[in-house]
């Protein structure tokens, strides 16, 4: 999984490797999106809102369908306990050493800020704060650095994924996915980065299925993060219990989804009281509707934090884009030209039941410092 890759920024080198799907992300926040990609469920079911949540012990993931599972041991600045909050049931293991048959997951820096600052081991000496102190407001530089970061991610995809499989002689026998959790804003609406507002630049991301038996083409219909587990099952001729997911085998099956959901419900620490900022949205291939659902006091706290502390606030302060400020408070927003009404979008969200039961964990000081360097806190 290459972090923060927009749909319009997927390199041709990747899209030409297999079947590429324009994907509706399940969240604009990394922990929530990863959980949806692996469980096939939305946030109201899996319950992962942030880095201090972890999956319930009985929550199934697609990795559990395989005898041997693992997470990449090459994660650099993404490695210190961040995975533990989500998937402490899986061990870190090099792809070159995991036993067959296996399922293996890697999170790469991709298009994550600080753009183009991660080396081949996913280490960076620069923080998001220092990077944006120098580059916020320079949209051309942001775009240039972002694209360079994606190119580096593709190089690491070869280094950490394709090359080890090739050296083991099993590349042609392995289904490989190149996917992303969410996109990025690069100056649009006065913003930079991820999370909010829920907009097309963040919601639409790529997913590419790579295998010799899969044609190099683009999937024309709707595809969603929650469809990944069932679609993997379809390609592998494995009977995945789709009743345990919100998704379906879009590519090989007969059911075509009509829309995808996206949830952001993130807790924030604050000296004047912790709060949650929440956005729910509904999308098809032509656009969507977004609804800010947190209370006004929480919205004001986020606004204050964005101006005073959150690194991405440097961009909106320098751009002085009034519309960008308004998007943080606007209760409803139409993006592009969705093929359904706002009332229908609200009904679809009302139909979603909250059923999750997650365990919270304490965040140690090292992890908190690392998340601050990566711009999350």
């Amino acid at each position: 999984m290459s972090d923060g890759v927009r749909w319009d920024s997927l390199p041709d080198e990747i899209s030409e490797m297999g079947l590429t799907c324009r994907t509706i992300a399940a969240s604009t926040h990394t922990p929530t999106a990863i959980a949806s990609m692996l469980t096939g469920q939305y946030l109201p079911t899996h319950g992962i809102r942030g880095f201090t949540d972890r999956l319930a012990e009985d929550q199934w993931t697609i990795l559990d369908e395989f005898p041997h599972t693992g997470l990449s041991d090459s994660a650099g600045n993404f490695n210190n306990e961040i995975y533990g909050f989500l998937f402490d049931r899986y061990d870190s293991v090099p792809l070159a050493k995991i036993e067959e048959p296996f399922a293996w997951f890697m999170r790469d820096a991709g298009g994550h800020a600080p753009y183009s600052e991660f080396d081949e081991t996913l280490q960076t000496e620069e923080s998001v704060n220092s990077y944006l102190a120098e580059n916020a407001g320079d949209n051309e530089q942001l775009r240039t650095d972002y694209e360079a970061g994606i190119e580096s991610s593709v190089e690491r995809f070869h280094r950490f994924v394709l090359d080890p499989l090739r050296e083991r002689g099993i590349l042609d026998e392995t289904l490989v996915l190149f996917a992303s959790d969410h996109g990025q804003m690069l100056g649009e609406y006065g913003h930079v980065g991820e999370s909010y507002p829920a907009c097309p630049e963040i919601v639409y991301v790529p997913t590419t299925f790579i295998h010799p038996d899969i044609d190099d083409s683009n999937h024309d219909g709707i595809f969603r993060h929650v469809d990944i587990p069932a679609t993997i099952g379809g390609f592998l001729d494995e009977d995945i219990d789709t009743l345990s997911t919100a998704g379906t085998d879009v590519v090989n099956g007969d059911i075509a989804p009509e829309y995808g959901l996206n949830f952001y419900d993130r807790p924030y620490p604050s000296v004047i009281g912790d709060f949650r900022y929440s956005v729910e949205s509904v999308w098809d291939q032509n656009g969507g509707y977004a609804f800010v659902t947190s209370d006004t006091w929480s919205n004001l706290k986020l606004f204050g934090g964005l101006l005073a502390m959150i690194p991405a606030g440097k961009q909106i302060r320098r751009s002085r884009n009034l519309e960008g400020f308004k998007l943080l408070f606007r209760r409803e927003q139409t993006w592009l030209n969705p093929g359904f009404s706002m009332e229908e979008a609200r009904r679809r969200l009302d139909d979603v039941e909250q059923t999750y039961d997650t365990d919270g964990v304490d965040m140690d000081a090292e992890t908190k410092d690392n998340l601050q360097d990566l711009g999350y806190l």
Side-chain angles (χ1 to χ4, degrees):
M1 189 213 77
S2 183
D3 198 303
V5 181
R6 297 160 54 130
W7 167 250
D8 61 7
S9 296
L10 179 68
D12 291 341
E13 179 181 353
I14 298 297
S15 63
E16 292 170 357
M17 288 184 181
L19 176 66
T20 298
C21 306
R22 184 171 182 250
T23 305
I24 299 172
S27 180
T28 58
H29 187 37
T30 297
T32 309
I34 292 177
S36 290
M37 294 165 74
L38 296 188
T39 65
Q41 298 286 5
Y42 289 112
L43 185 155
T45 299
H46 64 60
I48 302 299
R49 298 182 300 156
F51 290 103
T52 56
D53 295 321
R54 65 183 180 187
L55 291 172
E57 291 185 2
D58 60 352
Q59 173 62 64
W60 172 91
T61 83
I62 184 62
L63 303 184
D64 297 329
E65 289 292 311
F66 296 82
H68 306 287
T69 60
L71 305 175
S72 171
D73 66 334
S74 301
N77 283 70
F78 291 102
N79 202 31
N80 70 340
E81 297 304 315
I82 293 177
Y83 275 138
F85 297 138
L86 292 173
F87 309 117
D88 53 359
R89 70 184 79 173
Y90 307 119
D91 294 328
S92 296
V93 58
L95 186 56
K97 295 183 178 180
I98 191 170
E99 294 184 56
E100 301 176 46
F102 61 84
W104 185 85
F105 179 87
M106 176 178 179
R107 179 190 178 194
D108 181 80
H112 196 291
Y115 304 133
S116 190
E117 294 294 334
F118 293 89
D119 63 21
E120 63 181 12
T121 64
L122 293 175
Q123 298 284 348
T124 177
E125 297 298 325
E126 185 163 22
S127 68
V128 174
N129 194 32
S130 62
Y131 173 81
L132 291 178
E134 179 179 354
N135 297 293
D138 187 345
N139 294 351
E140 183 176 350
Q141 187 64 51
L142 293 173
R143 169 71 70 167
T144 297
D145 291 345
Y146 174 78
E147 291 177 351
I150 301 298
E151 291 177 4
S152 296
S153 182
V154 173
E155 293 174 1
R156 290 189 294 268
F157 182 56
H158 283 277
R159 176 186 176 90
F160 291 115
V161 180
L162 300 183
D163 290 349
L165 293 173
R166 185 178 294 107
E167 290 168 4
R168 292 181 61 171
I170 59 173
L171 177 58
D172 288 347
E173 303 169 15
T174 305
L175 176 65
V176 178
L177 269 70
F178 184 98
S180 191
D181 49 354
H182 53 69
Q184 289 278 300
M185 288 174 293
L186 301 170
E188 292 90 355
Y189 328 111
H191 288 271
V192 66
E194 59 203 63
S195 298
Y196 44 77
C199 59
E201 291 80 3
I202 303 181
V203 170
Y204 292 124
V205 295
T207 304
T208 299
F209 294 87
I210 302 168
H211 187 273
D213 294 337
I214 299 176
D215 293 336
D216 164 16
S217 61
N218 288 332
H219 175 68
D220 294 331
I222 292 176
F223 190 82
R224 310 163 298 180
H225 272 163
V226 295
D227 297 319
I228 287 176
T231 303
I232 288 174
F235 277 124
L236 298 180
D237 292 326
E238 295 288 338
D239 185 18
I240 302 296
D241 181 11
T242 55
L243 293 178
S244 66
T245 79
T248 186
D249 178 3
V250 173
V251 177
N252 307 287
D254 298 325
I255 301 175
E258 298 178 355
Y259 61 91
L261 307 180
N262 183 284
F263 294 91
Y264 182 88
D265 183 18
R266 183 178 171 189
Y268 282 87
S270 172
V271 295
I272 56 174
D274 296 351
F275 67 96
R276 289 163 54 187
Y277 182 72
S278 305
V279 184
E280 300 176 351
S281 55
V282 185
W283 302 80
D284 63 12
Q285 65 267 51
N286 299 313
Y289 300 98
F291 308 96
V292 175
T293 57
S294 45
D295 60 73
T296 301
W297 182 228
S298 295
N299 299 345
L300 287 170
K301 286 182 179 180
L302 178 77
F303 180 70
L306 194 62
L307 291 181
M309 296 181 62
I310 300 173
K314 291 180 172 64
Q315 173 75 18
I316 199 166
R317 290 197 299 271
R318 293 178 187 178
S319 68
R320 298 185 180 183
N321 186 318
L322 183 60
E323 181 64 15
F325 286 114
K326 291 180 178 179
L327 286 172
L328 300 177
F329 294 89
R330 189 168 293 151
R331 290 297 178 185
E332 54 189 42
Q333 174 70 37
T334 303
W335 294 102
L336 304 177
N337 299 296
F340 54 95
S341 68
M342 183 174 292
E343 290 71 23
E344 178 64 18
R346 290 187 182 278
R347 286 195 294 272
R348 289 168 176 174
L349 289 169
D350 289 341
D351 289 340
V352 178
E353 296 183 9
Q354 181 171 309
T355 61
Y356 64 79
D357 179 20
T358 57
D359 299 318
V361 294
D362 294 327
M363 184 182 296
D364 61 47
E366 182 182 7
T367 299
K368 183 176 181 180
D369 289 343
N370 191 37
L371 290 173
Q372 286 176 332
D373 287 342
L374 292 172
Y376 287 110
L377 300 175

